[in-house]
């Protein structure tokens, strides 16, 4: 049996009033007497009437909904971003529709197509690790569709972007490992194409250079899917163990927890002697015997700011042509 919602026509028929009177009463219009409003509102509450959002969106040309696309909701960083998004959106009477790419560029494109076909007012997006062609996003932008990028951003796209200072966070993490007396520092990181990968690699290199340590490309291992598949981390670690390393800087939440799982499973003898610093917003790392220096990102704040900027785009009375990239600081947290 299909669910049928009550409509304004149903209320009008029941109360023997016109649909326009019912509509104005529900909108608390000054044109309708307090007595009529009371009758309409009491009946609407009695039948549990809810306005049809589709009809409303067609009339207002607004759906009051925002789309957000991330690689994986289970990722602690992205779940915290989403919490930040919701904290602003619901206060501004926007609903959130969340989609996951699982690092697939094809799924990302399909998600964008679906969300825009459902009439969302704007889009928040962190690009997938496979994404290289974003021409379809350019086309949406050219048609005036509001888009804000966060965390994983394209370089040449004229809109608001929100990131953390990835280069500084990576520099601080690597510098910390060097201060511990480590010289052979490995780097486990994401897909080569991602902006966060490039920025964090640069910070790692700069710290090595500042301490007169030669950069060894063999110590850098890329995981195309950012640790989404544990075997890619296992393969990277096997290669690093063959080369030998005394510390590791890890470039992502999933990669950091994945590295700890693999090393525990492998029961590598020298594991406890390897110093670890990694980007992670997860508290799970505290449960492992290996001590991890965490680079924390203000994920909740990132979600809030990105949403504020998107709503600013949506509600602007005139086209916005001047954009900025907001850069938020990271924090080094020591697990003693």
């Amino acid at each position: 049996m299909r669910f049928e919602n009550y409509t304004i026509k149903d209320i009008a028929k029941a109360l023997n009033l016109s649909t326009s009177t019912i509509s104005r009463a529900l909108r608390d219009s000054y044109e309708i007497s307090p007595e009529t409003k009371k009758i309409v509102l009491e009946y609407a509450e009695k039948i549990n009437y809810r306005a049809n959002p589709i009809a409303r969106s067609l009339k207002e040309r607004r759906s009051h909904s925002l789309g957000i696309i991330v690689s994986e909701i289970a990722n602690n960083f992205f779940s915290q971003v989403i919490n930040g998004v919701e904290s602003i959106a619901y206060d501004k009477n926007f609903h959130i529709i969340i989609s996951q790419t699982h690092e697939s560029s094809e799924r990302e494109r399909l998600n964008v197509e679906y969300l825009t076909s459902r009439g969302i007012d704007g889009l928040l997006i962190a690009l997938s690790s496979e994404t290289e062609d974003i021409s379809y996003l350019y086309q949406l932008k050219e048609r005036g569709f509001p888009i804000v990028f966060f965390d994983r951003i394209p370089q040449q796209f004229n809109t608001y972007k929100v990131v953390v200072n990835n280069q500084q966070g990576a520099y601080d993490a690597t510098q910390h490992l060097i201060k511990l007396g480590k010289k052979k520092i490995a780097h486990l990181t994401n897909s080569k194409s991602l902006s966060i990968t490039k920025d964090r690699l640069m910070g790692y290199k700069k710290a090595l250079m500042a301490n007169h340590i030669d950069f060894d490309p063999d110590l850098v291992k890329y995981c195309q899917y950012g640790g989404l598949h544990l075997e890619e981390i296992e393969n990277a670690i096997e290669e690093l163990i063959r080369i030998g390393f005394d510390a590791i800087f890890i470039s992502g939440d999933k990669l950091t927890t994945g590295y700890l799982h693999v090393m525990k499973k492998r029961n590598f003898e020298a594991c406890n002697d390897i110093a670890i610093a990694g980007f992670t917003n997860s508290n799970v790392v505290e449960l492992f015997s290996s001590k991890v220096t965490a680079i924390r990102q203000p994920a909740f704040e990132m979600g809030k700011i990105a949403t504020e900027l998107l709503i600013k785009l949506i509600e602007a009375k005139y086209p916005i042509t001047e954009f900025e990239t907001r850069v938020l600081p990271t924090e080094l947290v020591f697990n003693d």
Side-chain angles (χ1 to χ4, degrees):
M1 179 178 174
R2 185 183 172 191
F3 171 75
E4 293 288 348
N5 195 14
Y6 287 101
T7 68
I8 287 176
K9 286 182 179 179
D10 295 325
I11 300 175
K13 184 177 179 181
L15 299 179
N16 198 25
L17 294 169
S18 68
T19 55
S20 60
T21 297
I22 301 300
S23 178
R24 291 189 183 105
L26 291 171
R27 287 187 281 113
D28 196 25
S29 171
Y30 69 91
E31 300 171 280
I32 306 301
S33 70
E35 293 80 10
T36 302
K37 284 181 189 176
K38 185 173 183 293
I39 292 169
V40 171
L41 292 174
E42 284 180 352
Y43 185 76
E45 185 177 355
K46 177 184 174 183
I47 64 172
N48 197 28
Y49 167 78
R50 293 292 180 270
N52 186 330
I54 297 174
R56 180 186 173 194
S57 65
L58 288 172
K59 184 176 181 180
E60 298 180 4
R61 295 190 178 181
R62 289 270 297 274
S63 67
H64 295 273
S65 61
L66 308 175
I68 177 168
I69 296 180
V70 297
S71 63
E72 187 187 25
I73 296 171
N75 183 307
N76 283 279
F77 169 75
F78 286 122
S79 66
Q80 290 167 26
V81 169
I82 290 168
N83 286 340
V85 171
E86 290 180 335
S87 73
I88 297 297
Y90 292 135
D91 280 348
K92 298 286 187 179
N93 295 316
F94 283 92
H95 291 280
I96 300 298
I97 305 174
I98 306 165
S99 290
Q100 304 179 89
T101 65
H102 296 290
E103 304 294 10
S104 163
S105 58
E106 176 63 14
R107 185 173 292 189
E108 177 181 278
R109 185 182 62 79
L110 291 173
N111 285 343
V112 171
E113 289 177 357
Y114 173 78
L115 290 171
T116 52
S117 73
R118 302 299 293 175
I120 59 168
D121 295 329
L123 179 68
L124 297 164
I125 180 170
L127 297 174
S128 81
S129 64
E130 283 186 350
T131 300
E132 293 182 5
D133 179 12
I134 57 169
S135 56
Y136 70 101
L137 292 174
Y138 281 112
Q139 291 167 8
L140 284 174
K141 172 73 165 51
E142 288 301 309
R143 287 158 46 196
F145 185 75
I147 301 173
V148 170
F149 291 95
F150 67 94
D151 186 48
R152 300 151 165 218
I153 63 173
Q155 294 307 310
Q156 305 300 321
F157 201 108
N158 200 23
T159 189
Y160 290 119
K161 302 166 191 173
V162 188
V163 296
V164 300
N165 195 333
N166 289 294
Q167 190 173 134
Q168 187 63 50
Y171 181 92
D172 293 343
T174 309
Q175 185 75 11
H176 166 69
L177 295 173
I178 293 169
K179 284 182 179 178
L180 294 177
K182 306 302 180 179
K183 300 291 185 184
K184 204 167 183 182
I185 303 169
H187 181 32
L188 186 65
T189 189
N190 293 279
S191 166
K192 290 182 180 181
S193 64
L194 288 174
S195 58
I196 56 172
T197 301
K198 297 170 185 175
D199 291 342
R200 292 170 188 177
L201 178 62
M202 182 59 69
Y204 164 77
K205 285 181 174 180
K206 283 187 174 182
L208 295 178
M209 188 183 301
N211 290 275
H212 310 291
I213 298 174
D214 291 336
F215 169 68
D216 183 354
D218 290 336
L219 286 173
V220 178
K221 298 301 174 188
Y222 297 95
C223 293
Q224 171 67 26
Y225 296 100
L228 202 61
H229 310 301
L230 199 60
E231 59 266 25
E232 65 179 348
I233 299 178
E234 290 174 334
N235 293 337
I237 290 172
E238 287 297 330
E239 292 178 22
L240 288 173
I241 288 173
R242 282 197 294 270
I243 297 168
F245 63 107
D246 58 9
I248 186 165
F249 161 52
I250 308 174
S251 183
D253 208 316
K254 204 81 172 176
L255 290 171
T256 300
T257 53
Y259 170 85
L260 292 170
H261 277 293
V262 170
M263 291 300 265
K264 183 178 180 181
K265 186 172 100 175
R266 199 180 187 284
N267 199 23
F268 183 46
E269 290 181 7
C271 179
N272 291 331
D273 297 326
I274 297 173
I276 310 163
F279 273 81
T280 179
N281 277 37
S282 172
N283 293 324
V284 172
V285 295
E286 297 172 5
L287 303 177
F288 289 85
S289 57
S290 300
K291 301 301 181 185
V292 179
T293 298
I295 305 100
R296 302 284 192 195
Q297 303 178 75
F300 186 86
E301 189 68 17
M302 179 181 284
K304 286 178 61 176
I305 293 171
T307 308
E308 289 168 345
L309 292 172
L310 182 60
I311 293 173
K312 180 180 176 180
L313 277 176
I314 291 166
E315 298 184 341
K317 294 182 179 177
Y318 302 98
I320 297 175
T321 55
E322 297 289 329
F323 298 100
E324 61 179 315
T325 297
R326 295 276 187 95
V327 182
L328 310 178
T330 58
E331 179 188 9
L332 214 58
V333 179
F334 302 99
N335 184 10
D336 299 322

